[in-house]
Structures are given as structure tokens and as C-alpha cells.
């Protein structure tokens, strides 16, 4: 599929390169056209893997061009510049699957009353799915992200089944397992989880050890 990426930073690089290697075509966009073009070239080289099928095609464009190009659009920009980027992207995201990987960063930056994913949905008219926001960029560079024999699980929060199906495809292309996290109204919980867990990791705590495995988490309904 064609993936337009709003952003030309590390998340765009890591996820975009993996999807290129899986055969998808990518357009990255950023504030600096020269840097965006250099990133597209770097991703093309990195996606070429011995013995694997030929990767997709990477190119660079403006915010508006990337939003128009993608059958699905990923938003991977800093929260501080989000409004300006969405305004520059224009109306092309309306009705499209939109993957939001953003997190608010810095002390007090997280707003418990409204998720960035809902803001993006309201601003663009896109069918937004919150995903890929819980892990450091280095995790998304792993091929695949597997820990103690278990593929990484990626929660997805969204309302539109077509957008969710697209997100599930992109998750499995990374070698990860998609997990239904509820509707877009629950994206604020996913963003809050990121804010809390990142804080633990920064202090040196093993955030994964906070929760027990499923088998030790109590008795749960089967339906």
C-alpha cells in the first residue's frame, strides 16, 4: 500500500524502513525538503535486505503531498508542531485511515482530558487509530521485536474497522501482534500509559515487570 508519513524524524525512519522492506511504498515529509529527501534515500538503502524481495519505493514530499499520496497516513511529528503540520497537510486525510504515533512529552505536557489522537481526528476528518506510541524508536528498528520468544504486542485504539484492519496489517508486517484496545475514546488511556511507563523507564525501572503475565493476572471471562 502507499503510506504517507507526516514527519521525517526517527519514528518515520524506523517504521517507514520496516514497511518499505515489507513492500509498501512510502512518502516522507518534513520542514526541510533536503533532509526529507536524504531520509528517503537512507530508508531505501536500509530496506534492501539480503535474500528478501525487493522493497517498496521511498520518496519525499511536502506535508500536503504526503497526505494526498498515502492510502494510509501516519502522523509522526512532535506534539508542539502538530497543529501547524495538520494545517499544512490540508484536507487530503479526510476519510482515510490515519495512524497516530505521537506522544506529548515534557513535564505536565500530557492532557488527561483529551487525547492527541482525538485532536487529529477532529482536525483532519481522518479515521484515526492510535498505535506504536508505547515503545522507544529502537524497538521499531528490531527485525522483528521479539522478547523471550514472545512477539511484541501493539495495542490499537480506533473506531473505524477499515482503519483498524489497515493498522493490523502494518503491525503484523513488523512481526508484532495487534491487540484490540477499544475505541478512539480509549486513546487517552493509551497515551496516559505511555506517559507513565516512559517515566518509569527513564528512572531505570523495568516497566514491563510492573504487570504479571496473563496466566498470573486472575480469572477472566472467556467471552
Amino acid at each position: 500500500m502507499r503510506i504517507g508519513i507526516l514527519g521525517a524524524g526517527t519514528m518515520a525512519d524506523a517504521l517507514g524502513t520496516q514497511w518499505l522492506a515489507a513492500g509498501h511504498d512510502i512518502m516522507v515529509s518534513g520542514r526541510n525538503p533536503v533532509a526529507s529527501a536524504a531520509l528517503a534515500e537512507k530508508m531505501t538503502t536500509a530496506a534492501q535486505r539480503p535474500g528478501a524481495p525487493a522493497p517498496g519505493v521511498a520518496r519525499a514530499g511536502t506535508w500536503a503531498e504526503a497526505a494526498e499520496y498515502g492510502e494510509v497516513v501516519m502522523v509522526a511529528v512532535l506534539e508542539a508542531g502538530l497543529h501547524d503540520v495538520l494545517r499544512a497537510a490540508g484536507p487530503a486525510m479526510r476519510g482515510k485511515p490515519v495512524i497516530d504515533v505521537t506522544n506529548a512529552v515534557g513535564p505536565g505536557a500530557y492532557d488527561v482530558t483529551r487525547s492527541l489522537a482525538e485532536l487529529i481526528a477532529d482536525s483532519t476528518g481522518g479515521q484515526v487509530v492510535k498505535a506504536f506510541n508505547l515503545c522507544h524508536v529502537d524497538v521499531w528498528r528490531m527485525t522483528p521485536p521479539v522478547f523471550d520468544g514472545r512477539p511484541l504486542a501493539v495495542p490499537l485504539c480506533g473506531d473505524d474497522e477499515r482503519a483498524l484492519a489497515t493498522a493490523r496489517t502494518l503491525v503484523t508486517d513488523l512481526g508484532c501482534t495487534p491487540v484490540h484496545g477499544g475505541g478512539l475514546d480509549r486513546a487517552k488511556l493509551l497515551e496516559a500509559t505511555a506517559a507513565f511507563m516512559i517515566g518509569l523507564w527513564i528512572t531505570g525501572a523495568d516497566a514491563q515487570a510492573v504487570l504479571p503475565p496473563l496466566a498470573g493476572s486472575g480469572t477472566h471471562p472467556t467471552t
Side-chain angles (χ1 to χ4, degrees):
M1 72 181 80
R2 296 190 313 277
I3 305 172
I5 300 181
L6 302 184
T10 55
M11 286 291 282
D13 181 13
L15 289 168
T17 298
Q18 299 284 31
W19 291 327
L20 267 178
H24 302 296
D25 295 333
I26 304 290
M27 180 179 286
V28 294
S29 56
R31 298 188 185 281
N32 185 329
V34 174
S36 298
L39 176 61
E41 184 175 350
K42 173 180 177 286
M43 292 165 64
T44 298
T45 300
Q48 295 171 357
R49 294 167 184 171
V57 175
R59 49 180 66 93
T62 66
W63 304 118
E65 287 168 342
E68 179 68 37
Y69 174 83
E71 297 170 272
V72 54
V73 179
M74 182 174 82
V75 181
V77 297
L78 294 177
E79 182 263 345
L82 183 58
H83 288 282
D84 290 341
V85 169
L86 296 180
R87 191 177 303 112
M93 294 157 69
R94 181 168 298 279
K96 286 184 179 180
V98 175
I99 310 298
D100 168 33
V101 308
T102 60
N103 282 317
V105 295
Y110 176 69
D111 182 355
V112 297
T113 65
R114 189 186 194 200
S115 69
L116 295 175
E118 290 171 306
L119 183 154
I120 291 169
D122 291 344
S123 298
T124 66
Q127 300 294 345
V128 176
V129 177
K130 189 77 184 190
F132 304 111
N133 71 311
L134 292 184
C135 295
H136 190 275
V137 64
D138 289 346
V139 173
W140 305 123
R141 299 189 193 280
M142 297 174 67
T143 53
V146 174
F147 302 91
D148 295 327
R150 295 186 304 170
L152 182 72
V154 180
L156 308 175
C157 292
D159 296 328
D160 182 78
E161 181 51 42
R162 181 172 71 98
L164 286 165
T166 299
R168 286 192 291 268
T169 295
L170 296 176
V171 169
T172 56
D173 283 342
L174 300 177
C176 300
T177 302
V179 176
H180 180 58
L184 194 63
D185 62 317
R186 291 176 64 84
K188 61 176 64 72
L189 302 180
L190 190 51
E191 293 178 12
T193 300
F196 185 76
M197 291 300 190
I198 289 169
L200 293 181
W201 279 312
I202 287 173
T203 63
D206 183 357
Q208 190 179 38
V210 170
L211 300 175
L214 179 62
S217 64
T219 303
H220 306 286
T222 57
T223 57

